[in-house]
Amino acid sequence: MPKPFTYCCLLPLLLGRGPALAAPAPADTVATVPRLTVGLASATRTTYLQRAPEPAEDKGYFGTTLTYQAPKGFISSLYLNHSYNYQKLSEPFINYGELMVGWQAVGNTDTYWTVQYTRLFVYGESALVQSSLRNDFSASITQFFSFATASFSADVFVGSTHDVVLTLDLSHRFQLPVLGHDTLSIEPTVELGAGSQHFYTASLATTSWVKTKKRGGTTLVTNEPAAPAFSTLGYTLSVPVTLTAGRFSVAATPSYLLPLHVPAGGYSTSFFYFTLGVSRTFW
């Protein structure tokens, strides 16, 4: 399941793979996996599983990611999110986070895979669509062809709501030399998502006080829209433009999200948004 904040932290790894590396290189020429990466990302809208809050509740976000990758395949990361909708000092400055551990393929091959467990946590009141999610068990596989890159991922969410989401990405990367070993890449990408939406209907739930028959008392009732059956979630079209210079990478990504099969009361309007990310690899 691609996420904007993990894209910037895994960028140095993925840029080292691709159609040009379809044939495995000799063992003594294979580059070591970057071991520590710090990524920063800012976006004009907050999206998750091709769902987004209402524009009035979403001004975008600033995210920070710290990723550790061991040469043998172990990977872990910590992500912290600050919403630009932050208005009061009493609100948590960090309103959302993720802690991930997993295992990934290493070496120069034309197939890349990962298996991961992610713990999601939300601070205080949150308008984020993923606020009911707590645990994510996921696996993904990416195949680098000579003409395109295809990636498929599956996520199983367990928490106060339970969901299964499948994601397919297709992209083609154009790489241009800039100065020395620096490169500029442009990678048009289309993403198709499908799955259940209990997490989203939970974020749309409203509460109201209803009178009871006992002595004119009241009780709090939660009203949640019906969750659609397993169906397509939408399409995302994006064009990441990435400059890689040594251990630094800067990525600017315009995106267009077209949501499908949105539950009643959800935000169903397609929209453009923009993400800017920068990462620095150490060691």
Side-chain angles (χ1 to χ4, degrees):
M1 175 195 58
K3 304 182 183 72
F5 46 85
T6 54
Y7 175 82
C8 71
C9 72
L10 293 179
L11 192 59
L13 174 67
L14 295 179
L15 287 177
R17 305 168 181 269
L21 299 176
D28 58 350
T29 64
V30 175
T32 58
V33 177
R35 300 188 66 182
L36 184 65
T37 303
V38 176
L40 305 175
S42 180
T44 57
R45 291 294 302 272
T46 304
T47 64
Y48 197 88
L49 301 178
Q50 297 179 316
R51 292 293 177 259
E54 293 287 337
E57 300 177 330
D58 179 26
K59 307 300 181 184
Y61 69 87
F62 178 82
T64 304
T65 308
L66 178 65
T67 303
Y68 172 76
Q69 299 172 89
K72 297 297 184 180
F74 175 78
I75 182 172
S76 63
S77 69
L78 172 66
Y79 170 74
L80 299 176
N81 181 95
H82 167 69
S83 172
Y84 291 145
N85 205 40
Y86 179 85
Q87 297 175 347
K88 301 178 182 178
L89 292 177
S90 58
E91 299 176 7
F93 186 79
I94 301 298
N95 67 319
Y96 172 73
E98 294 187 355
L99 180 62
M100 181 273 289
V101 293
W103 203 266
Q104 65 178 353
V106 295
N108 285 335
T109 68
D110 56 359
T111 302
Y112 170 75
W113 55 263
T114 65
V115 289
Q116 300 175 356
Y117 165 73
T118 303
R119 175 66 178 179
L120 303 89
F121 45 94
V122 176
Y123 294 106
E125 296 294 327
S126 175
L128 297 178
V129 299
Q130 69 268 34
S131 59
S132 65
L133 301 177
R134 292 295 178 268
N135 304 283
D136 176 18
F137 300 88
S138 63
S140 68
I141 184 169
T142 300
Q143 184 69 35
F144 298 100
F145 299 99
S146 59
F147 56 91
T149 299
S151 178
F152 177 79
S153 64
D155 291 77
V156 177
F157 295 94
V158 179
S160 55
T161 61
H162 306 286
D163 285 288
V164 176
V165 175
L166 307 178
T167 306
L168 175 65
D169 286 82
L170 295 174
S171 65
H172 179 78
R173 181 157 60 98
F174 302 91
Q175 184 167 308
L176 304 173
V178 183
L179 293 173
H181 296 289
D182 302 344
T183 59
L184 178 68
S185 66
I186 303 173
E187 190 166 5
T189 303
V190 58
E191 174 186 324
L192 170 64
S196 56
Q197 301 186 58
H198 299 102
F199 74 97
Y200 190 48
T201 56
S203 73
L204 299 174
T206 59
T207 57
S208 59
W209 290 97
V210 178
K211 290 184 178 181
T212 62
K213 296 181 179 180
K214 293 183 178 180
R215 299 180 181 179
T218 58
T219 183
L220 187 63
V221 176
T222 300
N223 301 300
E224 183 176 311
F230 192 97
S231 57
T232 51
L233 298 175
Y235 299 92
T236 302
L237 306 177
S238 60
V239 186
V241 180
T242 306
L243 174 64
T244 303
R247 294 177 179 268
F248 288 91
S249 294
V250 179
T253 306
S255 302
Y256 181 74
L257 172 60
L258 176 62
L260 300 174
H261 301 108
V262 178
Y267 188 70
S268 59
T269 304
S270 56
F271 60 90
F272 284 97
Y273 62 99
F274 183 79
T275 306
L276 179 64
V278 59
S279 67
R280 168 67 157 90
T281 300
F282 298 88
W283 300 354

